[in-house]
Amino acid sequence: MDGGVAERSARLLDGLRAFGALYTDFTGRFAAWLGLNSTDATALVEILYAEDKGTPLSPTRLSERLGLTTGATTNLINRLEKLGHVVRTREHADRRVVTLRSSPRIERPAREFFGPLGAHFQALVAQYEPAELDRFEDFLHRLHATMGDLLADQGPDPTTRPRS
């Protein structure tokens, strides 16, 4: 690989890892602020985010997003439901399909906590030309697809380790 590309790739990966760490820290602070453990807070953030996008999660999809077993996810949802942060709804023609929704009780605190991040992010995005943002979005989309393909190629069992 060309030295310039390798160095830039390393810097980009370093930046993405640093962003991931900061995002994890931010979610951890949200957890502490609400008195939740980090996994429960991450689940709540996933549910809120999916709702904001107009694509609410099922318990199965939440399990996939968190990398938890279905049993562990059920226990997590039960905890969040008991705290009044999440409700299970049946919105589909097939009444067996469950949709996860945030409760009205958590919406205000979540917006209060994440509102400043959203405002700062929008101010940052506003500093870039639409064409630059299009290229960046394309890069992120391709990175996501590449990583998804690599994970799919590794197979469904992440506990299988290579032989030495």
Side-chain angles (χ1 to χ4, degrees):
M1 184 180 291
D2 173 69
V5 172
E7 289 173 14
R8 179 161 291 189
S9 295
R11 286 194 311 269
L12 286 169
L13 281 173
D14 187 52
L16 289 167
R17 276 192 298 270
F19 171 79
L22 287 171
Y23 188 82
T24 299
D25 184 42
F26 207 83
T27 303
R29 290 175 188 220
F30 180 61
W33 190 64
L34 290 175
L36 299 174
N37 68 54
S38 61
T39 303
D40 288 5
T42 300
L44 185 55
V45 167
E46 289 291 331
I47 292 165
L48 289 162
Y49 180 70
E51 275 187 306
D52 280 351
K53 286 180 46 180
T55 55
L57 297 175
S58 67
T60 300
R61 184 67 183 125
L62 179 63
S63 177
E64 292 167 357
R65 296 283 305 141
L66 299 176
L68 297 175
T69 64
T70 55
T73 302
T74 297
N75 289 335
L76 180 152
I77 295 167
N78 288 343
R79 286 191 303 273
L80 291 176
E81 193 173 43
K82 187 176 181 178
L83 290 168
H85 297 324
V86 171
V87 294
R88 292 175 172 105
T89 63
R90 291 184 175 14
E91 304 169 12
H92 301 279
D94 182 346
R95 302 296 291 162
R96 294 171 295 178
V97 176
V98 173
T99 301
L100 300 173
R101 296 275 183 184
S102 61
S103 73
R105 176 178 161 183
I106 196 63
E107 187 174 327
R108 186 192 54 73
R111 294 206 185 284
E112 180 182 328
F113 187 87
F114 287 104
L117 175 62
H120 282 83
F121 186 74
Q122 286 181 10
L124 176 63
V125 168
Q127 296 175 26
Y128 292 86
E129 295 295 324
E132 288 179 291
L133 294 170
D134 288 344
R135 286 182 54 107
F136 187 63
E137 286 182 54
D138 179 62
F139 172 78
L140 290 175
H141 175 74
R142 289 177 185 216
L143 177 61
H144 183 267
T146 298
M147 290 182 76
D149 290 347
L150 288 169
L151 288 172
D153 288 347
Q154 289 182 357
D157 185 3
T159 60
T160 303
R161 297 186 179 176
R163 297 174 202 243
S164 308

